[in-house]
Amino acid sequence: ETRAFGIEAFGFFMMGCPGETRESIDNTIKLAVRLNLNHIQITRFTIYPGTDIYNDYLLKNNNYDYWREYIINPEKSKELPLLETELTIEEVNRFIKIAYLKFYLRRKYIKTNYKQLLNLPKLKRGGMAVADLIKELSVNFVKYLLNS
């Protein structure tokens, strides 16, 4: 147990990787919640120039170089697509938000970290982040209901 020595465990997770499914993302979220971590960071899988996967992306997209275009004109850039996954960017972004909420709002996390949560600057920062996530998920849910 690292906590006894004042060492915090930080988990890093990626979502939207090639081959990822809704089920595998759900398993990732369950793993993050099950592990005895102090904090988590979740990012969407991103391809970068010079990697094999970016070279594959170039071949499949008529050599359209996303990063070159982004550097030349970032205002006109579009979102970099996900590769070889059934998930949309919007779904992955929603799963990331859900994962944060499930991790940080669970009883065990709050009980274990209550002293840190009572630290006013941390509480304010964390509370604002949670409020923003809930607001965005609520707005998107209402839009979904209106479009159904």
Side-chain angles (χ1 to χ4, degrees):
E1 178 68 32
T2 59
R3 292 176 202 259
F5 297 98
I7 300 171
E8 293 188 341
F10 204 115
F12 293 92
F13 300 90
M14 275 194 288
M15 293 184 180
C17 298
E20 190 147 48
T21 64
R22 288 167 193 84
E23 182 182 0
S24 63
I25 282 186
D26 189 49
N27 288 335
T28 299
I29 294 170
K30 288 176 182 173
L31 175 66
V33 169
R34 190 175 66 244
L35 293 174
N36 193 19
L37 301 170
N38 296 88
H39 307 284
I40 60 170
Q41 174 68 43
I42 307 168
T43 60
R44 196 174 74 214
F45 178 79
T46 304
I47 57 175
Y48 290 102
T51 61
D52 289 343
I53 199 159
Y54 194 75
N55 294 335
D56 290 344
Y57 163 80
L58 291 173
L59 290 173
K60 292 176 183 174
N61 290 281
N62 298 321
N63 284 323
Y64 173 76
D65 191 339
Y66 170 86
W67 289 108
R68 181 180 182 281
E69 296 299 321
Y70 178 80
I71 289 169
I72 291 170
N73 196 350
E75 294 83 29
K76 290 190 176 183
S77 70
K78 56 184 181 180
E79 267 198 282
L80 192 58
L82 298 172
L83 301 178
E84 301 171 20
T85 179
E86 64 186 40
L87 302 165
T88 66
I89 292 170
E90 292 78 19
E91 285 178 296
V92 172
N93 289 340
R94 184 173 53 82
F95 275 120
I96 290 171
K97 291 171 186 164
I98 288 168
Y100 277 122
L101 290 172
K102 284 187 173 186
F103 182 84
Y104 286 108
L105 294 182
R106 65 198 157 99
R107 184 175 306 180
K108 181 180 177 183
Y109 179 83
I110 293 169
K111 184 179 176 185
T112 304
N113 295 287
Y114 74 95
K115 287 182 183 174
Q116 287 184 353
L117 295 172
L118 294 176
N119 177 313
L120 191 56
K122 283 187 180 181
L123 180 63
K124 184 177 178 184
R125 195 169 50 241
M128 290 171 58
V130 168
D132 288 344
L133 281 172
I134 292 171
K135 178 182 173 187
E136 187 171 334
L137 287 171
S138 300
V139 168
N140 288 333
F141 183 68
V142 169
K143 286 180 185 177
Y144 168 78
L145 290 176
L146 292 175
N147 292 325
S148 294

